[in-house]
Every structure is written in structure tokens, then in C-alpha cells.
Amino acid sequence: MIILAVESSCDETAVSITRDGREVLADEIFSQVDIHKIYGGVVPEIASRNHIEIITRLAESALKKANITKENIDAIAVTYAPGLIGALLVGVNFAKSLAWALNKPLIPVHHIRGHIAANYIAYPELAPPFLCLVISGGHSQIIDVRDYTDMEIVGTTRDDAAGECFDKIARVLGLGYPGGAQMDRLAREEGGDDSKYTLPRASVSGSEYDMSFSGLKTAVINLIHNCEQKGEEIDKASLAASFAAAVSDTLVPRTMLAANNLSRERIAIAGGVAANSRIRADFESAAKLNGKTLYTPPLRLCGDNASMIGAQGYFEYLAGVRGNTGLNAFATLSI
Ligand code: KG4
Ligand code: ZN
């Protein structure tokens, strides 16, 4: 089954052609990062306008690269939640129009479900049940994937998402937007010492799987301001390494604990922050120690893309999920 999938929830416009939820025939992506960089973050209105300008050309290009025509498409999948509402509406309206014009089924896909499904492309043998940690710019959730379309959030951040903190600290350090990858590169390539700065690891009382990052974020920002006031130079690479260690120390043990308690033998990670080298390395050690099989999608499948929407769209289709011309977008929506 061939699916054309559309993703426009934030600052990436993406269109893919996938087969049977596992195989990528074309994966087109236009990142608006350079457009939003000068503002230090995504400007929703500008994101929507740019999605509108490029989406048709991306779809045409995806069809060309997959060497098919629109008549060969069996269904159209689209991210309808969560995300920037104007940005989502561009993709949803494009997908609705295409589905209507071609008289093909429309499949609404939840963005976070899509991130999880990136693992189905990277690992064709992977099937539920498994536990997945989704760490992105807006979400940090430990999700029990009982089946392709049956999942439950077992742990979540009570305040900021991990990616949000990476981006905020990168901005204070003057590393630009989006800062997660820059922080990672700095810690890795500039020999950052992860024990140079002592940073807090918060826990949420009464909730062993939930996380909190806002105290850590504030501690790092205060540390930077204190150094500035005293005229001390900040060792940016070591601060980036110490910060990644603190985030990883929050994410990895909770995910492992949940996997052990729920008797899940397989653990996957997903979302933009899953590209972080420290977090990946810590997961690899912990998985080995706990005798779990770990799934870490390649970096290009961690960040936003449309192939993951095509992958999840296939399983949503099999489960009977359909949209119609009344399909709306939602800025927030639980998985
Ligand atoms: O999943 P994603 O592409 O978009 C959302 O759905 O939010 O995630 C974007 C987030 C940003 O906060 C970005 O800074 C972060 O992922 N990120 C990283 C790395 N690469 C991207 N954070 C830490 N280390 C990285 N290597
Ligand atoms: Zn995302």
C-alpha cells in the first residue's frame, strides 16, 4: 500500500511516499530553520506562510523521486495534531484537498505516534509491544506501545520538554536556534567535561516515571548569569556536557524502571532529542546492563519528517482510522 504523507506541525515542511509502513520511496523535507534563526525561535505566522509556499512543490518532487504518479497513491496521511495550529492547518488542508480530488482515503496521524513509528522504518522487524521514550521540542513522554494504535503515556514531564531546555540554554549561551544539536556538538567535539558543573537532577514525588526539567534549566541559566556577573569565563563545552548528563540521568533510569516494571523487553527512543549522543550512549549502556533490546533510529529519522507519518499512517489505516473533509487540526491533543 502506497501512502503519500504530509508533515507541517512546526518549522519543517515534509512530504513522503512510503510503502506498507516500512519502506521509504521518497522523503522530501524543507527545513525553515534558516528563516526563523534570526528571531531565535519559530515564528508561527511565518512558518504557516512558508508551508503554503513550498508544500505543492515538495509533493510533486516526492512523486517524481518515487517514480510514481498521483494515481498510484492508495491513501494520504497527514499530521493533524499536536503542533502550531496555523502550520498544521496548511498540511491538513493540502491533504484533504488531495484526498478529495483523487478520491482516496485520508488518514489523520498524531505527530507523537509518528515519531514512534520512525522506528518501524529503521527496524523493519520491530513490532509492538515495546516501550518508547519520545523526546522532542515539545514533549518528553515514556509511552507503552501495546499495539500499533494502542498506547499509553506512563510518564511525562511536569513542566518543560527536554528539547525546550536544550534550546533555551543554547540561546543563553549564544549558540543560536535550534540549539540542541549545537550543544551536543560542542560537548562532543570540544572535549566537554561532564563533571565540571554540578547540576540538579529533579524527581517528582509520588510519581516514579514523571520528569521535571524546569529546575535544571533555571539552575543552568543562573549559573551562566553568576559567571557573567563575576566576570568568569564559562566553559561552554563542559556546561553543555554537564547539562546533557543531567538530562540523560533523568530520562534513562525512568525509562529503564518503566520497562522493567511493565516487563517490556524492547525499548525504543524517538524525537529530535533522541539524536543526542550522550543520551544514546547512556541508553546503550543501560540496555546492555538490563538485558533489553534497544532501538535508536538514525538521526535523520529522529527529527521531524514525513516518512514517520507515512509509517504510522499505514497502521492507522489498517486499524480503520479515516478522516474526511471535515478533519480539523489541534494544537494540543493527547496521544
Ligand atoms: O522532534 P523534533 O524535530 O520536533 C518536535 O516535534 O519538537 O525535535 C526538535 C528538538 C529541538 O528542541 C532540538 O534542539 C532538539 O530536538 N535536538 C537535539 C539534538 N538534535 C535536535 N537535542 C539534543 N541533542 C541533539 N543532538
Ligand atoms: Zn516532532
Side-chain angles (χ1 to χ4, degrees):
M1 176 178 191
I2 291 181
I3 291 181
L4 180 144
V6 177
E7 156 64 41
S8 69
S9 66
C10 193
D11 59 347
E12 256 98 31
T13 324
V15 178
S16 71
I17 312 285
T18 52
R19 194 186 342 243
D20 297 340
R22 303 271 182 181
E23 190 190 346
V24 178
L25 304 182
D27 185 48
E28 293 293 273
I29 182 156
F30 174 76
S31 172
Q32 300 179 11
V33 162
D34 287 342
I35 297 165
H36 297 282
K37 218 162 32 192
I38 52 166
Y39 306 102
V42 180
V43 183
E45 174 64 18
I46 295 175
S48 310
R49 282 167 186 261
N50 279 281
H51 286 313
I52 290 174
E53 280 182 23
I54 194 110
I55 200 159
T56 309
R57 272 179 287 156
L58 275 189
E60 281 166 357
S61 172
L63 289 167
K64 206 168 165 188
K65 286 199 177 156
N67 203 18
I68 60 167
T69 66
K70 9 186 220 310
E71 287 69 35
N72 300 126
I73 301 166
D74 297 307
I76 290 128
V78 62
T79 306
Y80 76 113
L84 302 171
I85 193 69
L88 285 165
L89 281 168
V90 174
V92 165
N93 281 305
F94 178 82
K96 279 202 287 197
S97 313
L98 194 60
W100 186 79
L102 296 174
N103 195 23
K104 303 281 177 179
L106 176 69
I107 315 161
V109 176
H110 191 284
H111 183 75
I112 300 300
R113 288 187 177 208
H115 272 301
I116 297 170
N119 281 280
Y120 301 139
I121 298 166
Y123 301 98
E125 75 285 6
L126 176 65
F130 60 90
L131 196 73
C132 188
L133 172 72
V134 181
I135 31 178
S136 67
H139 294 79
S140 298
Q141 296 177 333
I142 300 170
I143 298 167
D144 188 28
V145 185
R146 294 188 287 234
D147 207 338
Y148 291 103
T149 56
D150 174 19
M151 36 202 108
E152 187 189 351
I153 299 165
V154 296
T156 185
T157 178
R158 292 291 184 95
D159 37 56
D160 298 342
E164 219 174 319
C165 295
F166 269 104
D167 292 339
K168 174 76 191 186
I169 288 160
R171 179 142 63 145
V172 177
L173 285 175
L175 298 176
Y177 177 86
Q182 296 290 352
M183 293 261 288
D184 192 9
R185 191 198 50 77
L186 199 64
R188 210 178 49 241
E189 290 174 14
E190 313 275 322
D193 172 6
D194 66 1
S195 61
K196 176 152 181 179
Y197 296 102
T198 310
L199 302 175
R201 274 89 167 137
S203 54
V204 179
S205 68
S207 181
E208 54 191 352
Y209 309 134
D210 282 352
M211 305 152 244
S212 166
F213 294 107
S214 70
L216 170 64
K217 183 183 75 180
T218 307
V220 176
I221 292 169
N222 286 345
L223 190 149
I224 296 167
H225 288 160
N226 269 330
C227 283
E228 280 168 358
Q229 281 160 1
K230 288 187 205 151
E232 288 171 13
E233 203 180 319
I234 301 157
D235 176 354
K236 290 184 184 178
S238 294
L239 187 57
S242 304
F243 176 73
V247 172
S248 188
D249 285 351
T250 305
L251 299 171
V252 179
R254 281 168 181 74
T255 309
M256 287 298 154
L257 183 69
N260 284 331
N261 289 346
L262 295 167
S263 302
R264 294 292 182 233
E265 297 314 313
R266 288 166 299 171
I267 297 173
I269 59 173
V273 186
N276 185 269
S277 58
R278 172 64 189 250
I279 295 168
R280 289 168 89 91
D282 286 353
F283 261 112
E284 262 151 38
S285 317
K288 209 175 266 177
L289 203 69
N290 287 270
K292 307 283 182 196
T293 307
L294 181 69
Y295 299 86
T296 51
L299 304 197
R300 69 184 165 78
L301 282 172
C302 288
D304 289 347
N305 64 85
S307 293
M308 67 185 201
I309 304 304
Q312 182 61 26
Y314 173 70
F315 295 107
E316 299 285 346
Y317 179 86
L318 295 183
V321 175
R322 301 287 186 275
N324 57 33
T325 47
L327 178 67
N328 201 355
F330 301 92
T332 54
L333 185 76
S334 185
I335 199 163

